[in-house]
Amino acid sequence: MAKGVALISHKEKIDTDTHTGEFMLTVFAALSQLEREQLKQRQREGIELAKAQGKYTGQKPIPTDWSRFGQLYGEWKAKHITGREFMRRMEMSANTFYRRVREYKLRHGITEQTSA
């Protein structure tokens, strides 16, 4: 009500300008949240069951040509190509690209130089 907006439903006879209408809206929101939490819980239980049965293994990792990645990484760090060009050449999404960059740095012991 801080913005002066009210919901009035003639069919359900709910008016959020009244205390009763505001209460009903709060009850509906609480029920909706409860149902969402129950749905998430059932989903987690289903995933756990599928994992126990060996049916849920997640998505298979996309294979990466690490030698080509290393070459392009060098070009990218030397600013000869952009990150977008790197992603296009490797046919990777941005999320996969940055995940692979972190993995590449870990594999090769690369640490970023920070300027003070």
Side-chain angles (χ1 to χ4, degrees):
M1 299 304 159
K3 293 187 178 185
V5 177
L7 170 72
I8 300 172
S9 174
H10 296 290
K11 184 177 179 183
E12 289 83 12
K13 296 183 178 29
I14 298 173
D15 181 356
T16 58
D17 266 345
T18 67
H19 294 296
T20 306
E22 196 172 333
F23 171 73
M24 290 301 295
L25 193 61
T26 303
V27 168
F28 291 152
L31 288 171
S32 176
Q33 183 178 1
L34 176 66
E35 177 57 29
R36 177 71 181 133
E37 291 300 321
Q38 287 177 336
L39 185 130
K40 286 169 46 179
Q41 180 61 34
R42 288 191 301 266
Q43 181 183 23
R44 281 191 294 270
E45 289 169 0
I47 289 171
E48 289 300 317
L49 181 63
K51 282 182 178 180
Q53 295 173 351
K55 296 178 183 177
Y56 185 92
T57 57
Q59 184 175 349
K60 301 287 184 253
I62 299 168
T64 302
D65 179 354
W66 288 106
S67 62
R68 184 159 182 250
F69 190 94
Q71 291 171 336
L72 291 173
Y73 179 83
E75 290 182 39
W76 177 57
K77 290 311 264 183
K79 301 200 184 311
H80 296 299
I81 62 171
T82 64
R84 191 171 297 273
E85 177 64 17
F86 191 159
M87 290 177 232
R88 188 188 64 73
R89 289 188 191 178
M90 289 299 295
E91 298 178 359
M92 290 181 174
S93 69
N95 285 339
T96 303
F97 168 70
Y98 288 109
R99 196 175 315 115
R100 293 296 187 268
V101 166
R102 283 192 302 272
E103 190 176 340
Y104 183 82
K105 287 178 179 180
L106 282 172
R107 286 179 173 205
H108 293 87
I110 300 170
T111 58
E112 293 294 324
Q113 301 294 328
T114 56
S115 57

